[in-house]
Amino acid sequence: MLDVSKIRADFPILSRQVNNKPLVYFDNAATSQTPEVVIDTIVDYYSNYNANIHRGVHTLSQEATDKYEIARQKIQAHFNAKFSHEIIFTSGTTHSINLVANGFSALLKAGDEIIVSALEHHSNIVPWQMLCERTGAILKVIPMNQEGELIMETYDKLLSNKTKLVFVNHISNALGTINPIEYIIEKAHAVGAAVLIDGAQSCPHIKPDVQALDVDFYVASAHKVCGPTGVGMLYGKEAWLNKLPPYQGGGEMIAEVSFEKTTYADLPHKFEAGTPNICGGIAFGAALDYMNAIGFDNIATYENELLAYATEKLSTIEGLKIYGTAKHKTSVISFNLEGIHPYDVGTILDKLGIAVRTGHHCAQPIMDFFCIPGTIRASFAFYNTKEEIDILVAGVKKAKMMLS
Amino acid sequence: MTIEDIQNEIIDEFSMFEDWEERYQYMIDLGKDLPIINDEYKTDSNIIKGCQSKVWVHAELNNDKIEFTADSDAIITKGIIAILIRVFNNQHPKDIIEANTDFIDKIGLKEHLSPTRANGLVSMIKQLKLYAIAYQTQIK
Ligand SMILES: Cc1ncc(COP(=O)(O)O)c(C=O)c1O
């Protein structure tokens, strides 16, 4: 059981006002809020041991390096990776995906196939389109049904020995659908394809075990799991990371340099050119510690309660339609009021101190599928409450009254 | 009336409202009265970019003055464009180009003025002024 009022006290931002109303923060799928321990970690870094890592013999540099590497181990433990060098620090999910897509340009040839899902964040479709342009590979898409679930029968048919890579998000940001990644991974491996799972939306709710999943690559962003922005991670199986060429050239990623030949550093440094977001990486570790102390089972149980409560309450509003009604979904509700633009509703809710996301949620293909310009998306975290959901429901009713 | 007169009139109207709710309700009502653009002009090339909702604007020159019509798929956005059109409609291009738009701040809609704001009020003003610049060259 969660002690929500105690948890809320950990988040300074939750006590602020917006437009003279107590903040109700329901845009967690975009960015989660930051607990005091993580803020303290950031302050501690800059106050006490800010230095460049892996280079200096001096004490500060040693301390910073140690903390940064300990953070990597925390991430390794969290995802249950076999080795800490299988964890690459990146600037976030987008960077991690581009790193893998770029690496595959060296491994693909014309006629090879990449499979992505219709549920993707559209910025994540672009790296694969660019990869296909560079290599002549072909992009195939797993379609979805009206509930917002991927159609596995079609996926089975798309797979062949031409398939080299499958890219799917673990959980959809627009609809909250939890995708059957165990099945997707197993089937891809059966035809010899690698699998990259986008865990940006799953990591706030689920603790993935990359070894149990047998996934080849798994990526996530710290800012969705109570960490800071601008830092994230790529997990890759050692064998795959060794196979991929480096992404960017620069300091830190080389072993020896001469004008004739440069030899690359070992993992993970091969993929970590330049001075990284040291403080961010350390704070990412602190954020995972914080969430693990609460416990992902507790988080999931509580968030499911919030989801069920919000779904029930919102459904009583006449003319409100929920998009994404998958059997397995997380605490995200995408909805519209009949005949009312989501932007209008979002504007009124903001006036009431309620933060929701409106628009296409970077998932234009999904909006096109439902023939709508966008939705209002409320996404709940473990620090939200049923009282806040009541405020949302009242706010939506008010918006409906004002706008129709 | 001059652009400034109209702006002052709008400021007067808005000053009667006690809170955001009345202001927004008024804006929503203004949106409903917007001179609606002819369907033939509701084309992709008439869409103002930078808005989360779609905004179409059409401008025509009549007796050296510009007549604006517009539409949006979101009602609050429609209200905002309605206010702008009320200010600029049937004015000389030169006056439109030179007009300042500080009145937005005075009617409590300052929050919409930020260039990063999703409704693109700034883009709307820019677009109306661009029409004026284009027609100004025709008059000379
Ligand atoms: C499913 C998914 N993938 C990727 C991203 C991009 O993450 P970032 O902006 O942290 O790189 C997001 C963020 O909204 C997301 O929801």
Side-chain angles (χ1 to χ4, degrees):
Chain A
M1 267 296 285
L2 295 188
D3 183 347
V4 181
S5 56
K6 186 161 161 280
I7 287 172
R8 287 182 70 80
D10 293 337
F11 292 81
I13 209 170
L14 295 181
S15 54
R16 77 160 273 187
Q17 305 240 314
V18 168
N19 291 320
N20 303 317
K21 306 272 184 346
L23 166 68
V24 173
Y25 187 75
F26 285 158
D27 195 18
N28 295 287
T31 282
S32 53
Q33 291 306 341
T34 320
E36 198 122 45
V37 279
V38 174
I39 299 170
D40 289 348
T41 303
I42 294 166
V43 172
D44 181 42
Y45 171 81
Y46 283 110
S47 310
N48 294 309
Y49 61 98
N50 175 29
N52 213 325
I53 53 169
H54 297 138
R55 301 177 195 187
V57 292
H58 61 81
T59 303
L60 293 192
S61 175
Q62 286 293 340
E63 284 181 16
T65 306
D66 287 348
K67 291 260 172 66
Y68 193 62
E69 291 308 319
I70 287 169
R72 194 191 305 276
Q73 287 161 15
K74 284 178 182 174
I75 296 167
Q76 174 204 352
H78 179 83
F79 289 95
N80 192 31
K82 202 164 177 185
F83 308 109
S84 67
H85 61 251
E86 291 177 323
I87 303 297
I88 312 294
F89 277 116
T90 65
S91 70
T93 303
T94 304
H95 177 195
S96 303
I97 292 169
N98 277 283
L99 194 160
V100 176
N102 190 71
F104 266 83
S105 344
L107 307 178
L108 295 185
K109 56 180 192 309
D112 285 345
E113 292 177 1
I114 299 170
I115 297 179
V116 301
S117 89
L119 276 175
E120 297 314 312
H121 196 280
H122 64 206
S123 59
N124 294 346
I125 301 171
V126 180
W128 309 113
Q129 287 171 331
M130 288 164 62
L131 174 58
C132 288
E133 270 167 31
R134 284 197 298 270
T135 59
I138 297 156
L139 199 63
K140 304 262 169 158
V141 181
I142 314 170
M144 66 169 173
N145 63 21
Q146 284 295 330
E147 282 72 45
E149 296 166 322
L150 295 177
I151 303 172
M152 284 299 106
E153 292 74 32
T154 315
Y155 172 60
D156 290 343
K157 292 194 193 106
L158 291 176
L159 284 166
S160 74
N161 57 9
K162 288 189 202 145
T163 313
K164 292 297 179 280
L165 186 72
V166 177
F167 171 72
V168 176
N169 56 34
H170 195 163
I171 293 179
S172 150
N173 68 309
L175 305 178
T177 312
I178 304 176
N179 292 313
I181 62 164
E182 293 83 357
Y183 181 88
I184 289 170
I185 294 165
E186 191 189 322
K187 288 286 180 163
H189 285 170
V191 298
V195 180
L196 164 58
I197 299 294
D198 174 350
Q201 290 298 335
S202 49
C203 290
H205 314 286
I206 294 173
K207 188 168 174 168
D209 180 331
V210 292
Q211 289 190 75
L213 286 169
D214 194 27
V215 66
D216 303 288
F217 303 97
Y218 198 96
V219 297
S221 297
H223 71 93
K224 305 218 197 239
V225 290
C226 300
T229 55
V231 63
M233 69 108 205
L234 158 68
Y235 159 80
K237 281 182 186 162
E238 182 186 52
W240 271 114
L241 292 179
N242 279 328
K243 216 182 285 182
L244 295 189
Y247 180 40
Q248 290 173 321
E252 200 85 61
M253 53 78 72
I254 51 225
E256 278 176 73
V257 182
S258 70
F259 282 105
E260 288 70 44
K261 183 168 171 55
T262 293
T263 43
Y264 301 122
D266 291 334
L267 293 174
H269 309 293
K270 171 179 151 188
F271 293 108
E272 295 182 352
T275 301
N277 185 346
I278 303 165
C279 175
I282 295 168
F284 187 2
L288 291 178
D289 281 348
Y290 176 79
M291 292 192 71
N292 279 309
I294 293 171
F296 278 84
D297 287 343
N298 293 332
I299 289 173
T301 306
Y302 180 67
E303 287 175 346
N304 285 336
E305 234 177 81
L306 291 180
L307 175 67
Y309 184 76
T311 307
E312 187 202 318
K313 294 282 167 175
L314 285 171
S315 301
T316 62
I317 299 174
E318 210 181 309
L320 185 145
K321 180 170 162 55
I322 293 176
Y323 297 91
T325 47
K327 269 196 276 326
H328 301 286
K329 66 177 278 191
T330 44
S331 48
V332 168
I333 301 184
S334 247
F335 64 95
N336 270 331
L337 290 171
E338 199 182 349
I340 299 177
H341 199 281
Y343 165 79
D344 287 326
V345 182
T347 304
I348 301 291
L349 291 179
D350 176 57
K351 283 280 163 201
L352 298 166
I354 306 165
V356 293
R357 184 47 69 105
T358 63
H360 53 54
H361 318 296
C362 307
Q364 202 109 48
I366 301 178
M367 301 303 133
D368 292 347
F369 176 85
F370 289 117
C371 300
I372 48 177
T375 66
I376 303 139
R377 183 188 70 184
S379 50
F380 314 116
F382 58 92
Y383 42 72
N384 290 129
T385 64
K386 288 185 182 167
E387 291 72 39
E388 289 181 303
I389 290 170
D390 292 338
I391 295 172
L392 170 70
V393 172
V396 172
K397 285 182 181 161
K398 183 178 196 92
K400 186 182 161 195
M401 201 186 68
M402 287 181 73
L403 294 163
S404 40
Chain B
M1 280 206 281
T2 67
I3 288 179
E4 213 183 322
D5 291 340
I6 301 170
Q7 290 186 350
N8 286 332
E9 193 180 81
I10 294 173
I11 293 169
D12 275 353
E13 287 167 16
F14 272 80
S15 69
M16 294 182 303
F17 303 132
E18 309 251 305
D19 57 14
W20 72 270
E21 226 178 296
E22 291 179 357
R23 277 202 311 276
Y24 272 69
Q25 197 62 64
Y26 186 59
M27 224 157 46
I28 291 163
D29 293 341
L30 288 177
K32 291 175 183 159
D33 296 337
L34 178 71
I36 291 293
I37 190 170
N38 236 320
D39 266 348
E40 66 182 293
Y41 300 123
K42 243 169 132 171
T43 57
D44 280 354
S45 61
N46 276 339
I47 289 183
I48 298 181
K49 299 216 166 54
C51 308
Q52 211 182 74
S53 47
K54 283 187 183 155
V55 182
W56 298 267
V57 174
H58 175 67
E60 265 175 47
L61 196 65
N62 278 328
N63 300 324
D64 289 352
K65 290 178 176 175
I66 303 185
E67 242 172 67
F68 289 106
T69 50
D71 198 6
S72 169
D73 54 354
I75 188 80
I76 293 174
T77 315
K78 240 165 119 165
I80 291 172
I81 192 84
I83 293 171
L84 292 179
I85 287 186
R86 184 163 145 206
V87 169
F88 291 134
N89 211 19
N90 287 315
Q91 300 288 345
H92 278 289
K94 184 169 166 294
D95 297 333
I96 296 173
I97 295 165
E98 286 168 2
N100 94 26
T101 46
D102 291 349
F103 79 105
I104 301 281
D105 195 352
K106 299 197 181 114
I107 60 176
L109 296 179
K110 188 178 177 190
E111 69 222 37
H112 294 283
L113 270 183
S114 145
T116 54
R117 188 75 201 188
N119 68 29
L121 175 54
V122 172
S123 321
M124 290 183 216
I125 294 173
K126 196 166 129 201
Q127 189 59 42
L128 298 184
K129 290 200 173 206
L130 280 175
Y131 274 121
I133 291 168
Y135 280 126
Q136 172 79 343
T137 58
Q138 284 188 18
I139 293 172
K140 274 177 188 167

